Amino acid sequence: MPNGRLSLGLLAAAAYAVLSHWLMVHAANQPWAIAALFGPLLLAALGFALRQRNGPLLAGLGFALLGLYGIVARGGVGDVNRLYVLQHAGIHFALFVSFAASLRPGRLSLIGGVAQRVHGGLSPEMRVYTGKVTRLWAGYFLAMTLASLCVYALAPWSVWSLLANLITPALIAALFAGEHLLRYRLHPEFERATLAAAVRAYSHKPVNGDAARR
């Protein structure tokens, strides 16, 4: 993935986040707004599942797209805010489960698997470090799941929308940047890799199951 395409993708994601916040505050119950908010996410996930050839994920996304079509066709749902909260909290909880499951004994951590595909192998120090980073991300995803539910229950809707659409991507970007700086401060001996290389490695299936085993 060339750097220009990656930069364009990041700008598009930022624009989508701002648009999502505006739609959730000003047009949350409109059927077209529901389609605009959920459609791109489901289509992006569908493309990922197709590249991964993940049958169960493809089936689940197919049902989700049919459900979205049904919601839009019937003119929306009663309390659409709960649908948005379920989406945000559900995605983060699913990511928490994925990251945490890779930390089981005898397995290579999820981020360790990505690093292994980027670098072609991992030193013992890199295995330990990537395991710690995977735990950090798992903790973040669990914390965001709980924060999403608590803010929805205790704060105005506009505050939850701000958390979901603007604060969430800002925190993710801060974690990425902070980990990148800390990694090369603590371990300058680690081979450097670009963000584009990491994204490319994460978007492809592990080879010969290397990312699933130590």
Side-chain angles (χ1 to χ4, degrees), residues 77-94:
V77 294
D79 186 359
V80 73
N81 291 354
R82 293 181 182 178
L83 187 64
Y84 296 132
V85 175
L86 178 62
Q87 175 213 37
H88 183 260
I91 288 174
H92 280 85
F93 186 73

Side-chain angles (χ1 to χ4, degrees), residues 59-137:
L61 289 169
F63 281 116
L65 284 169
L66 287 175
L68 178 62
Y69 173 79
I71 289 172
V72 174
R74 64 182 286 188
V77 294
D79 186 359
V80 73
N81 291 354
R82 293 181 182 178
L83 187 64
Y84 296 132
V85 175
L86 178 62
Q87 175 213 37
H88 183 260
I91 288 174
H92 280 85
F93 186 73
L95 288 169
F96 160 70
V97 171
S98 298
F99 276 66
S102 72
L103 294 169
R104 288 178 295 180
R107 296 191 62 181
L108 181 62
S109 67
L110 191 150
I111 293 179
V114 174
Q116 181 167 265
R117 297 198 292 279
V118 170
H119 300 292
L122 293 181
S123 66
E125 293 78 12
M126 290 181 73
R127 287 178 180 269
V128 172
Y129 178 80
T130 53
K132 291 179 179 179
V133 176
T134 301
R135 289 187 182 88
L136 172 66
W137 278 104

